[in-house]
Amino acid sequence: MEARLINLPKILDKRGNLSFFEHPNQIPFEIKRTYWIYDVPGGEMRGSHAFKEQQEFIIALSGSFDVVIHNGDKEQRFSLNRSYYGLYIPKMYWRRLENFSTNSLALIVSDKSYNEHDYIRDFEEFKKLLNEK
């Protein structure tokens, strides 16, 4: 499966708009964990790892940031800056979040509970594991 942007429903209302996501209509997995990243100091990045099994869906609920992914062959950059679309990242994609705007809020949902053993934190090890498959 490929990483891709997923557009979410946008219900327009003069009182304020509403968007949502659910499985299986928008995201291709059931949610086991939800977390968010905020108050990132200027110039800092988050992530810089891959998951052996975990899939994620990332949304910019507020502000903006870039998600840079690598599949072992090529790097892609996705700028997230609207709350009505997000980035689906399958397992075995290296990712980092960077270029956070002031007051940005990144919401991440995943199909697995936290498991430190699922993380790959060394890029060379990541490429080696990809080549073994």
Side-chain angles (χ1 to χ4, degrees):
M1 198 170 276
E2 295 287 317
R4 67 185 186 282
L5 289 174
I6 296 174
N7 289 312
L8 302 174
K10 185 161 66 166
I11 299 167
L12 303 175
D13 189 303
K14 63 183 177 187
R15 300 168 297 164
N17 301 332
L18 181 145
S19 289
F20 63 91
F21 56 87
E22 55 191 25
H23 169 265
N25 297 325
Q26 286 81 34
I27 61 172
F29 58 82
E30 290 187 41
I31 298 168
K32 294 280 182 144
R33 181 166 68 124
T34 302
Y35 62 98
W36 45 98
I37 298 170
Y38 57 97
D39 292 343
V40 178
E44 290 295 322
M45 70 176 67
R46 298 297 309 248
S48 292
H49 58 260
F51 294 108
K52 296 172 192 166
E53 296 299 327
Q54 183 171 290
Q55 306 173 76
E56 290 185 327
F57 182 63
I58 304 173
I59 300 172
L61 287 183
S62 179
S64 64
F65 52 89
D66 295 337
V67 182
V68 182
I69 61 170
H70 201 294
N71 68 0
D73 292 323
K74 67 177 181 169
E75 186 173 276
Q76 288 180 278
R77 176 179 299 271
F78 295 89
S79 293
L80 300 183
N81 57 15
R82 297 285 185 260
S83 57
Y84 50 83
Y85 66 86
L87 179 63
Y88 167 67
I89 305 176
K91 66 182 183 177
M92 291 304 290
Y93 270 76
W94 190 265
R95 85 280 317 279
R96 73 178 183 272
L97 284 68
E98 61 187 29
N99 211 14
F100 287 86
S101 69
T102 301
N103 295 323
S104 59
L105 173 58
L107 176 70
I108 300 101
V109 296
S110 72
D111 69 334
K112 304 275 188 249
S113 296
Y114 176 80
N115 177 358
E116 178 60 33
H117 300 293
D118 193 40
Y119 282 75
I120 306 166
R121 298 187 185 274
D122 178 87
F123 189 71
E124 294 306 316
E125 179 187 349
F126 164 71
K127 291 196 308 189
K128 181 181 174 191
L129 288 171
L130 280 174
N131 289 331
E132 290 174 1
K133 291 190 176 226

